[in-house]
Amino acid sequence: MRTITVVVFVLLSALVLVSGFASATDPEKRVKECKHQCKQHKGYTEQEREICRSQCEKEFEESGGGRRHEDPEKRLRECRESCPEGRGQTRALCRFRCQQKYGQGKGDVGGGKYYYDVEEEEKEEMFGEGGEEREETPYVFRDEHFLTKARSQHGRVDILQRFTEKSELLKGIENYRIGVLEANPQTFVNPGHFDADGVLFVAQGRGTFTIIREDRGRTTSRSEIKRHSFNIETGDVIRVHAGTPAYIVNKHESQKLVIINFIRPVNAPGTFEAFHGAGGENPESFFRAFSPELLAAAFKVDRESLQRIFQQQQEGTIMKASKEQIRALTHGEEGGGIWPFGGESSGPFNLLHRRPVQRNKYGQLFEADPNEFEQLEDLDLMVSFANFTQGAMAGPFYNSKATKIAYVVDGEGYFEMACPHVSSTRKGRRGQSGRAEGSRQGPSYGQVKSRLTRGMVFIVPAGHPVATVASTNSNLQVLCFEVNARDNFKFQLAGKNNVMSKMESQALELGFGVPAREVEKIFRNQNEEFFFPGPEMQQQRRRGYSDV
Ligand SMILES: *[C@@H]1O[C@H](CO)[C@@H](O)[C@H](O)[C@H]1NC(C)=O
């Protein structure tokens, strides 16, 4: 009897302890503190302490942080809302943890279907549909796949790992890399050049971009080099040839400058480096690799004065600049202009000021293709930007020749792609007809599906049908670098102008094995082109109509 009373008493105390720490944020810390209190409790025997300690753990597990009596749905929602806005993976992971903690569907809390569904959704968010652990698709890259090249309180430079490190399926794009530069307000990005060609896209902010480049004189065969500075703003596309010295100023008072880089190394496939002349210890100046007597001779100065200038810099690649310095660096720049109507053909042009190639109320698609833009010609690159209205979708469609490297600039959503190279993760779809698996011939298409959040990269190989859907909470903005783009065509598989709607009824009848009218009814129903209302948007509408 006494034991029972003690146990009950200890349990109650543990509950009090647990809830007492409910305000602390880190759950692990809370358990630790709870256990510590058990230990400190003077009146407990060792056995009671043990019960108390295990109860600390159990309470947290079961009640999801000691808030047992609150509405579980609310707890889950609050936890999810407390997750950071920031870049994809962190947020998804945080939300996934909330789900594991508060929405487990065990015991008396959270046993409803709602929790199960959400859990599935979170799993999908993390791993793609049906993914258990990190059985990742080869086509999706998140935060953890970026390597930090430079990071300081003033900004960061991250480079995505080589595509072939993830999968041999990406061999076709192994010579390309993706980088992200973020410079805080009122900063300077140290001058340097790369052994790589680059195309820069300004995803956010304003700044000044300066390059030193060759100016071939019209009248003489001698070429000279000259400094060119450009105002840059959101939507600008800038071609930087390999080896071109360049530097960047973020002159904005409060806004970050974010630049997404498409990089094609010129020395070795997939590998490149930055070369800083101006520098010291950090960034290191390449001049330091030369012997002092050689440099002294080359510059015609004494060795002592040389030593000083190559030892001072410690600030890193991105550094704070004073207002005066920024003013001096940003005066007299050339206007970016919309090439070919302003500025030079080699200057930046603004992708978002062009006329969209697709536009309706569900989204806009902007494109700059290599047939039209000389600067993109030798890279055989198309740069495009898709802006999805919240809840809208695009596709399915496929690129005839180009492989798309897509970067999620902002917003949330998901994409689905049919791929013959990955095994199907879709459950319950196949084999429903009862036919033996063995009797099927030809390829089988796996579904690649992933949640998309800001900062993620996904790849869509040529010929692979793909569709992208924006979340119902936010617009989705996707920047695409499409390589092998010359004479590429986007074949649409739904909507006005879809491939199937151009085939003869006999071809459809034979192809699908059902009467042509049935097929046509499906493929001719959608009147919009390219961008459509997404699945949830459609459902909401249908519900809306039936309510009336
Ligand atoms: C995207 O579309 C929305 C309207 O749906 C618009 O307000 C926004 O400015 C667009 N963004 C870009 C970058 O075009």
Side-chain angles (χ1 to χ4, degrees), residues 190 278-283 309-316 319:
N190 203 57
E281 302 235 342
N282 179 21
I309 88 157
F310 294 124
Q311 270 171 5
Q312 288 300 309
Q313 187 56 270
Q314 309 275 0
E315 294 286 309
M319 64 199 83

Side-chain angles (χ1 to χ4, degrees), residues 242-450:
T244 306
Y247 47 94
I248 300 172
V249 176
N250 180 2
K251 58 185 169 185
H252 205 275
E253 301 266 340
S254 56
Q255 205 179 17
K256 271 188 185 173
L257 177 66
V258 182
I259 295 180
I260 316 304
N261 304 283
F262 169 86
I263 300 155
R264 185 183 67 176
V266 291
N267 278 326
T271 308
F272 72 99
E273 280 301 339
F275 293 83
H276 298 284
E281 302 235 342
N282 179 21
E284 189 177 314
S285 168
F286 54 70
F287 283 117
R288 287 163 60 110
F290 291 93
S291 47
E293 63 274 15
L294 184 144
L295 289 184
F299 296 135
K300 214 175 139 195
V301 294
D302 59 73
R303 284 169 61 164
E304 286 64 44
S305 38
L306 265 181
Q307 241 175 13
R308 205 184 116 69
I309 88 157
F310 294 124
Q311 270 171 5
Q312 288 300 309
Q313 187 56 270
Q314 309 275 0
E315 294 286 309
T317 307
I318 305 171
M319 64 199 83
K320 196 87 188 158
S322 71
K323 286 211 158 49
E324 293 70 42
Q325 287 167 329
I326 290 197
R327 206 172 305 125
L329 282 167
T330 56
H331 96 280
E333 60 279 85
E334 300 159 28
I338 312 168
W339 188 80
F341 306 112
E344 296 169 70
S345 63
S346 51
F349 63 88
N350 195 293
L351 182 61
L352 306 179
H353 294 169
R354 311 197 75 222
R355 204 156 64 86
V357 294
Q358 296 285 353
R359 156 188 258 165
N360 59 25
K361 61 183 167 185
Y362 307 109
Q364 304 120 38
L365 177 69
F366 302 89
E367 285 180 351
D369 77 51
N371 301 322
E372 197 182 349
F373 284 85
E374 205 185 317
Q375 310 174 55
L376 303 175
E377 206 179 313
D378 70 313
L379 293 174
D380 202 357
L381 176 74
M382 155 115 89
V383 186
S384 64
F385 187 94
N387 184 11
F388 296 78
T389 308
Q390 45 181 269
M393 66 177 286
F397 68 87
Y398 65 90
N399 270 332
S400 62
K401 295 178 63 188
T403 292
K404 184 208 289 264
I405 304 170
Y407 181 94
V408 182
V409 173
D410 207 0
E412 286 185 15
Y414 67 92
F415 83 102
E416 288 187 12
M417 179 171 81
C419 176
H421 311 297
V422 303
S423 59
S424 177
T425 52
R426 274 208 83 97
K427 294 154 280 181
R429 277 284 167 96
R430 263 171 222 289
Q432 271 177 355
S433 59
R435 265 177 235 151
E437 282 279 304
S439 71
R440 192 185 55 230
Q441 287 180 349
S444 160
Y445 308 99
Q447 182 195 62
V448 173
K449 176 174 180 173
S450 172

